[in-house]
Amino acid sequence: MSATTGFQHSLVALGSEYITPTSATPVSAPDWIAWNDSLASELGWPDAWSHTEEALAGLAGNTPFDGSQPAASVYAGHQFGSYNPQLGDGRALLLGEWHTPAGHVLDIQLKGAGPTPYSRGGDGRSPVGPVVREYLVSEAMHALGVPTTRALAAVATGDPVYRQTREPGAILTRVADSHLRIGTIQFFAMTRRGAGLEDIVNYATERHYGTALAAARDQEPDVTPARVLLEEVGKALAGLVAHWQSIGFIHGVLNTDNMLLCGQTVDYGPCAFMDAFAAGRVFSSIDSGGRYAFGNQPGIVHWNLGVLAQCLLPLIDDDEEAAVAYAQASVDRFPERFSSAYAAHLAAKFGLAGMREDDKQLIEQFFQQLEQDSLDFTLAFRWLAEMANGTLEQTPLSQIFSPSDGLSDWCEQWQLRRKGASGDTTTRMLAVNPVVIPRNHLVARAIAAAEQGDYGVLKTLNSRWQDPFAWSDNDLQFAAAPEPEEAVHRTFCGT
Ligand code: AMP
Ligand code: MG
């Protein structure tokens, strides 16, 4: 490996109160499930080395990688609204921060590599199902352009894990800008009543928002990192949730410990993409109250940002009133930030150069029509894109999507609105309205096969989802909404 790439350990260096050295627990019979060549090359992992027994042993936690220092982080978090004062990496181990040839610094974690001091009685392992789901969905999200943690590899352990039933175990290698969460800040602010808070806030701000911090300091030399962190996390999360809403992604567990400060989507537990549109759609088996329903996501992320703001108060200003005023103003900017990011996505999806006040009603009617007629979210948008571009005749879309009468009527209004729209906005519709998304019933098929030791479905789907905005051969099976008997309505954390 070249001198510029390799592991460093800045979080470990920050102090033992943040992260605890922990070894992976070896497994009996490591085997490859999936390997992400393109991510490996971004990381600067040599090709020749990537597929070796040595790499496999490292990814299974049997032989530590050169230069890694496995460690588990502590954090806390509001889970379904109630504060849990101590959580942590219960089934994840940070191998270190990997410095890439392009100069990026990325956390590399093994997920499912055995118990840690934060396992709270859990086994620190993962069944193959959740590993396959995370691999597929996180990589599909990346291809859709959504900020997300990535999947570098998935390996089978050869050991069973016991949940409701005996299941084959697996380990995912996850890559993120970092795994610092709102919950990380909460642990030091709330559980530890401020001890260790300033160092982790400074660290997170410099690591993720160094440029914004420098720019803020140019304007105002005394600006505190906490102010910059709150503002930048607010912007990043507003953009993130707007992106989710624009593609019908339902995260499923928007607890504060599942919100990364870097603004990437994390924790692909009971997540799912909607097929037929419903604002109240919920998949997670544990979300009985619908707290994290599709339409609630922006409000929940706003609430989570409020929790971060509360944690940062003592570092925002020595004067409590001034601190509260700053934090409140920053948190209050979230709805507007979300709305403008979401409006930009919608404008692009509907082929509009910009959003006018009266467009809101037209768009609202579109969603009402989808919900009323149980129309597929993804295909309805693609249908608009193909109508506008005149490509319907050339693609198989009409075989799998027919508009309802109501949608056809709506379409006339929409075409009137688009009269005179530029060719660019029209072409762009094809680049923002995907043909394929990681539909739940297909993910479920990949999981069922993987549980039988067959990783072929995973491979096929993963490869198809890398190019989501264009049609490909034999695409009906990937693009079609599920038949009623195929549809998956419930998802599980599967931990
Ligand atoms: P999650 O639902 O994935 O956000 O997990 C919530 C918390 O439970 C995190 O702190 C995890 O580390 C922990 N956890 C989940 N599954 C396990 C497991 N199998 N063993 C140990 N800890 C776990
Ligand atoms: Mg989590």
Side-chain angles (χ1 to χ4, degrees):
M1 253 160 256
S2 77
T4 51
T5 61
F7 284 113
Q8 293 189 22
H9 305 282
S10 62
L11 190 60
V12 171
L14 196 64
S16 57
E17 60 270 50
Y18 303 103
I19 188 159
T20 312
T22 308
S23 300
T25 308
V27 301
S28 336
D31 197 5
W32 292 104
I33 294 177
W35 172 254
N36 189 338
D37 272 315
S38 87
L39 179 56
S41 84
E42 269 177 57
L43 296 179
W45 285 36
D47 263 5
W49 182 78
S50 289
H51 296 270
T52 58
E53 284 298 310
E54 186 193 345
L56 180 60
L59 298 169
N62 282 7
T63 317
F65 284 110
D66 272 356
S68 71
Q69 278 182 35
S73 311
V74 68
Y75 52 84
H78 276 88
Q79 300 180 302
F80 288 90
S82 323
Y83 189 56
N84 189 328
Q86 194 192 302
L87 295 157
D89 292 330
R91 55 168 165 177
L93 276 181
L94 179 65
L95 299 181
E97 299 113 25
W98 182 262
H99 289 239
T100 75
H104 297 134
V105 180
L106 299 167
D107 275 12
I108 300 188
Q109 261 197 355
L110 298 184
K111 195 172 167 190
T116 77
Y118 306 106
S119 294
R120 300 177 295 153
D123 59 4
R125 294 295 185 192
S126 180
V128 71
V131 167
V132 167
R133 176 182 299 277
E134 176 154 352
Y135 192 100
L136 280 173
V137 184
S138 67
E139 285 305 303
M141 289 280 274
H142 176 71
L144 286 162
V146 185
T148 177
T149 62
R150 306 284 309 273
L152 176 63
V155 299
T157 61
D159 297 321
V161 292
Y162 297 91
R163 298 294 182 262
Q164 253 90 324
T165 56
R166 183 187 146 109
E167 298 177 50
I171 298 175
L172 182 89
T173 306
R174 180 164 68 183
V175 177
D177 281 356
S178 90
H179 289 86
L180 299 170
R181 305 142 195 270
I182 291 180
T184 310
I185 304 299
Q186 281 182 276
F187 179 79
F188 295 97
M190 295 173 164
T191 306
R192 285 281 156 86
R193 299 182 184 281
L197 178 64
E198 189 164 4
D199 282 352
I200 193 73
V201 167
N202 293 351
Y203 174 89
T205 313
E206 268 153 32
R207 183 158 168 190
H208 298 302
Y209 303 111
T211 313
L213 180 60
R217 279 183 171 151
D218 278 346
Q219 300 283 318
E220 195 192 330
D222 296 339
V223 70
T224 65
R227 290 184 176 224
V228 174
L229 186 67
L230 182 59
E231 273 289 280
E232 296 304 315
V233 172
K235 289 181 204 165
L237 293 181
L240 181 68
V241 69
H243 215 146
W244 292 347
Q245 301 309 101
S246 79
I247 52 171
F249 175 76
I250 303 170
H251 181 284
V253 223
L254 287 178
N255 295 336
T256 53
D257 53 300
N258 289 335
M259 300 251 79
L260 293 186
L261 298 175
C262 66
Q264 293 179 323
T265 311
V266 74
D267 211 325
Y268 291 87
C271 64
F273 276 75
M274 270 194 296
D275 297 306
F277 174 77
R281 186 75 78 217
V282 176
F283 285 89
S284 170
S285 59
I286 56 170
D287 191 4
S288 47
R291 179 180 170 91
Y292 299 142
F294 178 72
N296 290 352
Q297 295 188 124
I300 285 290
V301 175
H302 186 199
W303 188 88
N304 290 344
L305 186 70
V307 171
L308 176 66
Q310 197 192 333
C311 292
L312 295 175
L313 285 177
L315 301 176
I316 284 177
D317 205 299
D318 291 337
D319 177 82
E320 204 181 314
E321 236 173 82
V324 170
Y326 179 91
Q328 190 67 54
S330 182
V331 174
D332 287 349
R333 280 191 279 277
F334 183 90
E336 174 50 34
R337 282 178 173 152
F338 164 75
S339 297
S340 69
Y342 186 49
H345 281 289
L346 288 179
K349 286 175 81 75
F350 284 105
L352 306 172
M355 202 66 95
R356 294 192 323 222
E357 195 48 39
D358 57 342
D359 289 333
K360 282 188 191 147
Q361 201 192 348
L362 187 67
I363 287 174
E364 191 48 41
Q365 284 164 354
F366 171 80
F367 284 116
Q368 275 167 9
Q369 204 63 56
L370 295 197
E371 183 149 7
Q372 190 180 313
D373 300 338
S374 288
L375 294 174
D376 187 81
F377 179 94
T378 307
L379 296 181
F381 273 111
R382 186 71 193 185
W383 179 76
L384 294 184
E386 303 220 353
M387 290 265 293
N389 281 275
T391 53
L392 263 181
E393 306 289 301
Q394 299 143 37
T395 75
L397 184 63
S398 343
Q399 292 175 54
I400 52 175
F401 184 82
S402 320
S404 58
D405 291 346
L407 184 59
S408 297
D409 291 346
W410 178 89
C411 204
E412 285 175 23
Q413 302 289 318
W414 170 69
Q415 277 166 331
L416 281 178
R417 164 66 179 97
R418 284 199 78 247
K419 261 214 165 100
S422 80
D424 281 355
T425 56
T426 307
T427 320
R428 190 163 142 68
M429 291 180 78
L430 294 172
V432 296
N433 289 306
V435 172
V436 289
I437 46 148
R439 290 187 187 270
N440 233 351
H441 69 294
L442 299 177
V443 174
R445 257 184 233 165
I447 291 173
E451 285 170 349
Q452 305 303 316
D454 168 7
Y455 311 123
V457 183
L458 180 157
K459 231 173 225 128
T460 307
L461 291 175
N462 179 58
S463 138
R464 178 63 194 92
W465 290 337
Q466 292 314 299
D467 188 14
F469 297 105
W471 287 94
S472 167
D473 293 341
N474 304 315
D475 239 2
L476 289 184
Q477 55 182 320
F478 302 115
E483 295 295 335
E485 67 278 9
E486 291 176 309
V488 175
H489 301 287
R490 278 277 156 271
T491 51
F492 301 88
C493 287
T495 55

